[in-house]
Structure formats: structure tokens, C-alpha cells
Amino acid sequence: MYHPTVARLTYRALLGRRRAAILFALPLLLLVISAAVRALTGADDSTAREVLSGFALATMVPLIGVIAGTGAIAPEIDDGSIAYLLSKPVKRPTIILTKLLVAMLVSVGFAAIPTFLAGLILDGNSQHLAVAFGVAAAVASLTYSAVFLLLGVVTRHAVVAGLVYALVWESLIGNLVPGARTLSVQQWALALAAKVADGGAVSSDVALPTAVVLLVGVTLVATWFAGRRLRALTLAGEE
């Protein structure tokens, strides 16, 4: 279910000049902010938690998920070059799974690792906050990649839809509206962070078993539906 040629083309598309600039800029901004906060306030668990949760997990991680998830397939569908892949003897579920794996690896690399490093800069992993938020960012990246890859298949406005979800739902509504938090990937990931961190250091509105079920379920369903929709795409003249 993995095709190296599809993977190579997807990496090339994701790490092209324009997308790569954004992918590098967001983690760099997080690290700069973390260094500035550490220099101004010193090591403080509360401040570290606010930066890692409020900026890294709530804003940077979903934005990177949008770039990686939609960028893995949406541009090819928009410009019609997906026809090249669909005309080859490659199973369409293989195309989806390969692109999803690439999107996941890129998301984790540009989101989880910088989040962990930012935690080390902010408080030196006090109360295991750096590890906790690094794990949360990695897990959230996997789910975001699947969701945004699905958006790339089902709509030509995948980037806009993804940005609305990332910035409005996850960053704004997911933080301010209590009832909406249970439907937030951020809160699901925070449940894992709460398990990894020292007792009481991190909190979530979602219980850990529920969070795990939702993370796995949404990832699997989004992947399945993306594969189904890609199979429904018909090449010109194909009947």
C-alpha cells in the first residue's frame, strides 16, 4: 500500500519553494517566541504551558496540517495532473495511503519536533511539559493530516476550508466555547499530554479513553472516505 514514486512526487510538491517557506517559518517563529519569552520571564511552567498550548498546539500544528494535508493532493486535482497518477496501474487506495503517509511525516517533522524543542527552551522539560506537548503535537498532526487530505479530495477550496477550521474552530471556538472543545482535535491531543505530563500540569476537557477513540476513529474514517472519493474520480473518456 506504499508507492515510492508517488511518495517522491508528493515530497517534491510539499517541499517546493513556496510551501517549504511556510513550513519552515512557523516552527522558526515558535522557537523565536520561546527564546524571547525565556529571556524575558525565565523558566516558568505556567508560561511554557500557555505558549505550547496557545500557539504551538492551537495554531501552528493545525496550520502545518493544512499545508501538508491539502498540499499532498489538492494541487494535483486542481490543475488536472492527478490524471497522470490515475492513468497508471497504481491502486487508488495506494495513492491515498502513500500521500497520507508523506503528509503525516512532514507534519510531525515540522510540528512535533519544534514543539518539543520549544518546551525545552521554555522550561527545560519541567513537569515533562516538553515531552507531553511534543507527543500531543505528533498525535494531532496525524489526525490533521488525514482530515485535511480528505478536504483536498472533496473540495477545490480545501486550503480555505482548512484555514477556516484551523483558525476559527481550533484556535478560537475550540478555546473559548466549552461545549465545542469536546469536538476539537486540540483537546483530544491535550488528553494525551495530560497523561504524559506530571499530574495536574496539563488539563483537557476530554477523557483519555474518549480522546484516543476519537483520534483513531477520525483518522481512519477520513482516510477511508478520501480513498472512496478518489476512486469515484473519473478520467476524461474513462467509463
Side-chain angles (χ1 to χ4, degrees):
M1 302 302 288
Y2 175 83
H3 198 282
T5 301
V6 174
R8 184 172 65 253
L9 293 173
T10 306
Y11 276 119
R12 187 178 301 172
L14 286 178
L15 300 178
R17 185 176 303 175
R18 185 175 302 176
R19 287 190 181 85
I22 302 176
L23 286 172
F24 279 103
L26 289 171
L28 180 61
L29 178 60
L30 172 63
L31 295 177
V32 169
I33 290 174
S34 300
V37 169
R38 175 63 184 266
L40 292 173
T41 66
D44 181 75
D45 294 341
S46 177
T47 301
R49 185 166 50 248
E50 290 178 5
V51 173
L52 295 175
S53 177
F55 180 73
L57 198 59
T59 302
M60 184 192 74
V61 175
L63 285 178
I64 289 178
V66 171
I67 297 168
T70 62
I73 196 168
E76 293 174 283
I77 294 177
D78 290 341
D79 63 21
S81 62
I82 191 69
Y84 169 79
L85 283 178
L86 299 184
S87 65
K88 300 299 180 181
V90 181
K91 294 181 179 180
R92 298 187 185 190
T94 298
I95 295 175
I96 285 294
L97 290 176
T98 300
K99 287 182 171 294
L100 177 60
L101 178 59
V102 172
M104 286 178 168
L105 290 175
V106 170
S107 294
V108 170
F110 283 92
I113 295 175
T115 299
F116 170 70
L117 294 176
L120 293 180
I121 293 172
L122 286 164
D123 72 350
N125 199 35
S126 175
Q127 300 191 70
H128 298 100
L129 288 178
V131 174
F133 279 97
V135 169
V139 173
S141 294
L142 302 181
T143 300
Y144 283 133
S145 296
V147 170
F148 295 131
L149 182 73
L150 171 61
L151 285 180
V153 177
V154 301
T155 176
R156 289 184 176 274
H157 306 289
V159 174
V160 175
L163 289 175
V164 169
Y165 176 85
L167 297 177
V168 176
W169 185 265
E170 290 288 352
S171 297
L172 184 61
I173 297 177
N175 282 326
L176 300 179
V177 181
R181 293 176 184 174
T182 57
L183 299 177
S184 167
V185 176
Q186 176 191 354
Q187 290 297 323
W188 304 344
L190 280 174
L192 292 176
K195 180 66 175 179
V196 175
D198 292 351
V202 180
S203 63
S204 172
D205 290 347
V206 182
L208 180 60
T210 302
V212 172
V213 170
L214 289 171
L215 286 166
V216 174
V218 168
T219 302
L220 293 178
V221 170
T223 303
W224 172 82
F225 193 54
R228 186 177 180 85
R229 286 302 300 265
L230 188 64
R231 286 198 299 269
L233 287 179
T234 303
L235 296 175
E238 178 183 272
E239 295 293 343

